[in-house]
Amino acid sequence: KQEVTQIPAALSVPEGENLVLNCSFTDSAIYNLQWFRQDPGKGLTSLLLIQSSQREQTSGRLNASLDKSSGRSTLYIAASQPGDSATYLCAVFTGGGNKLTFGTGTQLKVEL
Amino acid sequence: SAVISQKPSRDICQRGTSLTIQCQVDSQVTMMFWYRQQPGQSLTLIATANQGSEATYESGFVIDKFPISRPNLTFSTLTVSNMSPEDSSIYLCSVAAAGGSYNEQFFGPGTRLTVL
């Protein structure tokens, strides 16, 4: 059974700081990994999708890497802003039912 | 990307009643998914809704409690039946982008349900 863990559970940083969020998964037989952002009480916004054959993806100030063999992914946020404050979720897609398994999330707060 | 809308956005319901949540997508998709997010928790898949066939439920979820309809390729409903306070959650629908099974998934804004 796939299990996804995110560290840290919560993070508070000053504006402008670069930061790294971590995601680990137990079964390396994944098809892709997706990072999402969730604002309080809202739905999910897709940030980045990394296919299993890829090592990283970039979008603006965000960079996500994937090390499939070790079961790890990182989300790097450059020059953080208060608007980045949200919960960040990673999810891995495994076969056998087109199923996304979600991590526990990292709650990020960027302070002025 | 797909644009997904859900109705209602939130509701407060009495114990023992049922609520039907609607999910509308702006393009035709093969598979739609329903998730539950309990307070302070991550997302858990309830079921996969395929057009023209019965929904596939995950372990711990049953059709009598969460009946699902999928009448066409752009619409689905999830009913939460005989509600109890433990059903208070955010319910989200999602779709996989066109072009294959392993592509990006997009989520609706969610329905925040409170059961008294």
Side-chain angles (χ1 to χ4, degrees):
Chain A
K1 178 186 174 184
Q2 179 73 271
E3 293 184 1
V4 183
T5 304
Q6 292 184 244
I7 295 173
L11 183 62
S12 182
V13 300
E15 182 180 14
E17 191 162 302
N18 301 324
L19 56 100
V20 175
L21 308 182
N22 297 292
C23 172
S24 61
F25 45 96
T26 55
D27 184 352
S28 61
I30 65 169
Y31 291 108
N32 62 43
L33 182 145
Q34 200 166 347
W35 282 94
F36 295 90
R37 167 189 173 135
Q38 185 177 31
D39 293 289
K42 304 294 184 181
L44 275 65
T45 300
S46 177
L47 298 174
L48 289 164
L49 171 73
I50 310 178
Q51 301 290 354
S52 62
S53 59
Q54 298 174 322
R55 297 284 292 182
E56 66 178 329
Q57 284 286 336
T58 298
S59 176
R61 294 182 294 108
L62 304 180
N63 176 278
S65 68
L66 174 64
D67 184 342
K68 183 181 168 183
S69 60
S70 68
R72 294 179 184 176
S73 176
T74 61
L75 179 66
Y76 175 83
I77 302 177
S80 58
Q81 303 170 358
D84 294 330
S85 299
T87 296
Y88 290 80
L89 295 162
C90 71
V92 296
F93 184 95
T94 53
N98 299 306
K99 183 177 177 178
L100 268 183
T101 301
F102 279 84
T104 47
T106 293
Q107 188 172 358
L108 172 65
K109 183 176 182 181
V110 181
E111 299 174 318
L112 290 170
Chain B
S1 64
V3 177
I4 304 168
S5 60
Q6 285 185 234
K7 291 182 180 180
S9 58
R10 60 175 59 220
D11 208 341
I12 300 174
C13 300
Q14 295 297 320
R15 180 195 299 262
T17 62
S18 298
L19 176 72
T20 295
I21 303 168
Q22 299 178 7
C23 178
Q24 179 76 52
V25 190
D26 68 342
S27 59
Q28 293 185 340
V29 294
T30 302
M31 302 177 78
M32 297 178 75
F33 308 90
W34 287 98
Y35 288 83
R36 179 176 73 181
Q37 186 177 31
Q38 295 176 300
Q41 304 295 315
S42 192
L43 280 75
T44 301
L45 180 64
I46 297 172
T48 301
N50 301 313
Q51 195 269 337
S53 64
E54 293 287 330
T56 303
Y57 289 83
E58 295 297 305
S59 176
F61 297 96
V62 295
I63 187 171
D64 289 346
K65 176 67 175 177
F66 298 102
I68 289 171
S69 78
R70 182 80 198 275
N72 57 53
L73 292 174
T74 63
F75 186 79
S76 178
T77 67
L78 170 75
T79 298
V80 186
S81 304
N82 188 25
M83 289 184 285
S84 67
E86 292 70 35
D87 294 320
S88 297
S89 299
I90 299 175
Y91 292 85
L92 301 108
C93 71
S94 78
V95 304
S101 301
Y102 312 140
N103 285 341
E104 193 169 6
Q105 286 202 11
F106 299 94
F107 282 76
T111 295
R112 180 183 286 272
L113 170 62
T114 301
V115 184
L116 302 178

